[in-house]
């Protein structure tokens, strides 16, 4: 990775202090604040969007903080990572009776699976017994489809943890909740705190402890905040660990799949890799490893023009109602599946809009519940499924992106590329190779593609190289899917305007967004939201007194809830009228803007 220029003139420092100052959106935790860097991302051309994303991602590694926030590279953070790595090392020595459990909801749960299976494979390669397990809220179907509701259930979280760790004498539990907010994870942490003889809890998230969510959880005396406070006390004697650096607000407000997901991957990989090392875990070892990810980030964005071109191609497909398909190999393919599945809750996307497929399908994944194909079309994830179900319908309006590297079977990639090329010229590739090892056959694939981003990495140990390539692929895919949805009008300023309202966090986020954009009171906004959820112009007593759980459950069956609610609220029209306005103007941003102008 050659030295790479930083993005030109998005002044990171002056804006950083903006969001860090105590009076910047003071009622919101960092993970929900809006990022000053991306205020105009909804109107920016692709090249500027990529620059904004780069500047936002670079905030993860900023060291200096004049305020309260711990950072990824803070001394205290590095020391905590060293301590956790030592705990993992103890578990590796006693695989029979010990376990590391990774758990989370949505993206955090998907990454828990991604890393648990990746590190178990690595252990097997080194002739060790596997010690990693994962728990994702909603079970394996949540790996590839949006299942937001189980996130609200602390009892379910605790039960799943208990089940997966049955009979073990020592368990290191790593709960990930980027916003320090998911009740599912709070329930698990509480379970650990009540069974300290077996469980040591580690919490990964990206807000300072005092910003942990303090909303009461129905049927339960806990809040996320109360659990964190207990953990803080135990952290003083290393009976619990908090890994919660501030990363700065997400590029799209609240979209923790972006920086939150990337930092989760970085932190846990650094810890687990360090625990494998034969030499003692040192401060510098951890710090250097983190810095290698920073370089990988800069290196990825040194391809910003190519990333922007890909974003435009994907945007064109979505704008004309067509599809984007990621066809990947190995862990890069899995990242494609993850990125695609996040688009539904974030942008109100249909599962057909952006789809991922991985070579080998479920055989490649080794997930807890095995082959899920029979659960429905969303769960068809292999290249064969793509060939059977998608290829016959492909046209030049669809975008196909191949994700592969020099460690994959290039002949197989070429074969699939040929098949796709027969149906569409809109085929692109992101290819990772190592300097000095360029594969000649890869040229044939290039010729079939209308663009190829070639990432040429310096020599590294194979595991580390793979982790860096994965981060790079994640950043690329997040940029492509976010940019494409911006072009489709699913982002207003830097807010997700068509988010799903399928759990309590998303419901509150939607209500807050409506207040912010409309200037109406909290109760007026919530009323409009409920009308859109239940598709009625007048709220009955019954609806008004239903639980939040019923609201979010019902919201799962409706489409465009937030845009509908906003159009009704701003123009005073009926739900039917709002529906027809949104049909005439499917660019949600423009429909809402039109209402804002005339209100
Ligand atoms: C979990 C999560 C996100 C998802 C969506 C809903 O958040 O499921 O992964 O993208 O925003 O919430 P967290 O518990 O990691 O903060």
């Amino acid at each position: 990775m050659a030295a790479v220029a930083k993005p030109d003139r998005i002044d990171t420092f002056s804006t950083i202090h903006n969001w860090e100052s105590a009076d910047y959106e003071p009622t919101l935790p960092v993970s929900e604040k809006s990022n000053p860097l991306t205020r105009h991302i909804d109107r920016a051309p692709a090249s500027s969007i990529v620059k904004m994303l780069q500047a936002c991602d670079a905030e993860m590694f900023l060291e200096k903080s004049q305020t309260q926030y711990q950072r990824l590279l803070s001394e205290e953070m590095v020391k905590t990572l060293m301590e956790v790595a030592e705990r993992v090392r103890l578990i590796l020595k006693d695989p029979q009776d010990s376990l590391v459990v990774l758990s989370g909801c949505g993206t955090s749960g998907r990454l828990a699976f991604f890393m648990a299976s990746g590190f178990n494979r690595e252990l097997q390669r080194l002739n060790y017994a596997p010690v990693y397990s994962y728990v994702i809220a909603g079970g394996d179907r949540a790996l590839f489809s949006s299942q937001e509701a189980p996130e609200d259930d602390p009892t379910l979280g605790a039960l799943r943890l208990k089940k997966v760790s049955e009979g073990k004498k020592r368990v290191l539990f790593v709960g990930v909740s980027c916003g320090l907010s998911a009740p599912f994870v709070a329930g698990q942490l509480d379970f650990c705190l009540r069974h300290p003889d077996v469980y040591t809890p580690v919490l990964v998230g990206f807000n300072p402890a005092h910003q942990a969510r303090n909303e009461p959880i129905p049927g339960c005396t806990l809040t996320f905040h109360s659990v964190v406070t207990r953990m803080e006390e135990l952290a003083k004697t290393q009976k619990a660990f908090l890994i919660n650096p501030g990363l700065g607000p997400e590029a799209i407000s609240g979209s923790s799949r972006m920086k939150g997901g990337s930092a989760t991957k970085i932190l846990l990989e650094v810890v687990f890799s360090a625990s494998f090392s034969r030499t003692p875990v040192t401060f510098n070892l951890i710090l250097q490893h983190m810095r290698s990810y920073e370089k990988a980030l800069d290196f990825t964005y040194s391809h910003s023009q190519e990333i922007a071109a890909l974003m435009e191609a994907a945007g064109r497909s979505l704008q004309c109602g067509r599809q984007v398909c990621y066809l990947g190999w190995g862990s890069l393919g899995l990242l494609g599946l993850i990125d695609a599945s996040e688009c539904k809750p974030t942008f109100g996307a249909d599962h057909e809009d952006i789809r991922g497929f991985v070579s080998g399908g479920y055989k490649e994944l080794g997930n807890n519940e095995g082959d899920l194909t029979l659960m429905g079309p969303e769960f068809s994830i292999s290249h064969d499924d793509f060939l059977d179900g998608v290829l016959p319908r492909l046209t030049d309006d669809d975008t196909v992106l191949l994700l592969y590297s020099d460690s994959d079977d290039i002949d197989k990639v070429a074969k699939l590329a040929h098949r796709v090329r027969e149906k569409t010229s809109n085929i692109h590739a992101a290819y990772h190779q190592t300097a000095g090892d360029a594969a000649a056959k890869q040229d044939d694939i290039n010729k079939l593609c209308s663009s190829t981003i070639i990432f040429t990495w310096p020599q590294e140990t194979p595991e580390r190289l793979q982790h860096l390539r994965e981060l790079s692929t994640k950043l690329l895919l997040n940029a492509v899917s976010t940019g494409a949805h911006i072009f489709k009008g699913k982002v207003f300023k830097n807010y997700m305007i068509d988010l799903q309202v399928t759990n309590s966090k998303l419901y509150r986020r939607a209500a807050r967004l409506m207040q912010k954009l409309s200037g109406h009171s909290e109760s007026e906004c919530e009323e409009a939201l409920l009308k859109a959820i239940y598709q009625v112009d007048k709220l009955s007593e019954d609806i008004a007194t239903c639980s939040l759980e019923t609201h979010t459950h019902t919201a799962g069956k409706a489409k465009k809830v937030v845009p509908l609610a906003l159009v009704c609220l701003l123009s005073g029209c009926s739900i039917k009228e709002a529906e027809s306005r949104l049909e005439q103007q499917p660019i949600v941003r423009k429909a809402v803007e039109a209402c804002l102008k005339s209100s």
Side-chain angles (χ1 to χ4, degrees), residues 242-461:
L242 280 159
I243 305 178
N244 61 329
L247 308 171
E250 295 287 356
I252 304 301
S253 313
S255 185
S256 52
R257 76 191 196 107
M258 303 182 86
K259 283 198 272 197
S262 301
T264 300
K265 184 166 153 43
I266 293 169
L267 287 163
L268 294 182
E269 283 172 2
V270 166
V271 167
F272 298 145
S273 305
S275 69
F276 283 0
S277 94
R278 293 213 173 85
T279 51
V281 178
T282 64
F283 189 90
N284 277 340
L285 183 95
I286 299 273
L287 199 61
Q288 271 173 20
H289 195 172
M290 301 251 258
R291 292 244 181 255
S292 69
Y293 286 97
E294 185 181 16
K295 283 194 202 128
L297 190 146
D298 290 344
F299 173 63
T300 304
Y301 282 111
S302 70
H303 293 272
S304 60
Q305 276 184 358
E306 296 146 283
I307 298 174
L310 202 54
M311 184 187 279
E312 280 169 349
R316 278 192 297 274
S317 293
L318 292 194
Q319 275 173 300
C320 65
R322 300 295 305 184
Q323 221 176 2
V324 177
C325 291
Y326 303 142
L327 300 181
W329 279 261
S331 58
L332 306 186
L334 181 48
L335 287 167
L337 282 167
I338 293 178
D339 185 87
S341 64
E342 293 157 346
C343 294
K344 196 173 171 194
T346 313
F347 304 112
D350 190 87
H351 90 271
E352 296 266 359
D353 292 349
I354 300 196
R355 286 190 73 176
F357 297 92
V358 63
S359 122
Y362 291 97
K363 275 195 256 92
E364 171 77 25
L365 300 186
N367 53 313
N368 288 343
E369 295 168 35
D371 194 327
L372 307 179
T373 314
L374 294 177
M375 284 188 167
E378 279 172 88
F379 301 97
S380 296
I381 58 163
S382 70
H383 288 178
D384 288 338
D385 294 326
F386 167 81
L387 291 171
D388 291 345
V390 180
L391 187 78
R393 297 184 272 117
L394 276 191
T395 73
D396 279 342
D397 289 330
D398 299 296
T399 302
V400 175
L401 174 61
L402 307 173
L403 303 165
Y404 70 109
S405 76
D406 52 10
S407 49
D408 297 311
D409 184 336
I410 301 286
D411 284 333
K412 287 203 174 135
V413 181
K415 210 165 147 202
L416 189 60
H418 271 287
R419 299 276 310 264
V420 174
R421 186 65 185 79
E422 282 164 16
K423 301 292 287 186
T424 176
S425 57
N426 199 358
I427 169 171
H428 307 261
Y431 170 64
H432 296 269
Q433 64 181 11
T434 308
D437 282 355
K441 276 194 205 144
Q442 190 266 333
D443 275 351
D444 299 339
I445 304 171
N446 278 357
K447 285 181 197 134
L448 296 168
C449 294
S450 47
S451 80
T452 301
I453 310 182
I454 301 180
F455 295 101
T456 305
W457 298 85
Q459 301 278 351
E460 259 286 4
T461 59

Side-chain angles (χ1 to χ4, degrees), residues 31-32 104-110 147-148 151 176-183 185 204-207 224 254-258 260 264 342 345-346 496 503 505-506 509:
S31 61
E32 290 287 331
C105 314
T107 303
S108 303
R110 292 175 194 124
Q147 309 286 334
E148 309 298 326
E151 177 170 327
V176 185
S177 179
C178 296
L180 303 191
S181 64
V185 176
V204 177
F206 304 104
N207 287 316
F224 208 107
S255 185
S256 52
R257 76 191 196 107
M258 303 182 86
T264 300
E342 293 157 346
T346 313
M496 32 177 110
N503 66 34
K505 177 180 80 174
L506 299 172
R509 186 185 292 160

Side-chain angles (χ1 to χ4, degrees), residues 461-479:
T461 59
E463 313 80 64
R464 191 171 286 195
L465 190 58
Q466 188 58 17
H467 292 155
L468 300 180
R469 289 172 171 189
E470 287 166 2
L471 177 71
S472 179
T473 303
K474 178 183 180 296
L475 298 173
L476 167 74
L477 297 179
N478 286 171

Side-chain angles (χ1 to χ4, degrees), residues 103-214:
S103 182
C105 314
T107 303
S108 303
R110 292 175 194 124
L111 289 171
F113 162 66
F114 186 92
M115 282 183 278
S117 48
F119 277 96
N120 276 342
R121 254 197 300 272
E122 183 58 15
L123 283 174
Q124 263 157 358
R125 200 181 62 80
L126 300 169
N127 279 330
Y128 284 97
V131 298
Y132 295 97
S133 280
Y134 70 93
V135 176
I136 178 166
D140 275 3
R141 55 165 54 221
L143 291 173
F144 320 114
S145 71
S146 162
Q147 309 286 334
E148 309 298 326
E151 177 170 327
D152 279 341
D153 192 340
T155 315
L156 188 64
L159 278 175
R160 291 279 177 271
L161 170 59
K162 188 168 174 234
K163 183 142 187 259
V164 79
S165 51
E166 207 95 77
K168 296 290 176 187
K169 296 200 177 107
R170 190 201 315 249
V171 177
L172 187 76
F173 171 72
V174 183
V176 185
S177 179
C178 296
L180 303 191
S181 64
F184 187 88
V185 176
Q188 296 173 318
L189 293 169
D190 172 65
F191 179 79
C192 295
L193 295 174
R194 286 189 289 112
H195 300 90
D197 45 327
V198 176
Y199 295 88
T200 306
V202 180
L203 168 60
V204 177
F206 304 104
N207 287 316
H210 71 273
Q211 290 181 358
R213 188 175 177 193
N214 209 9

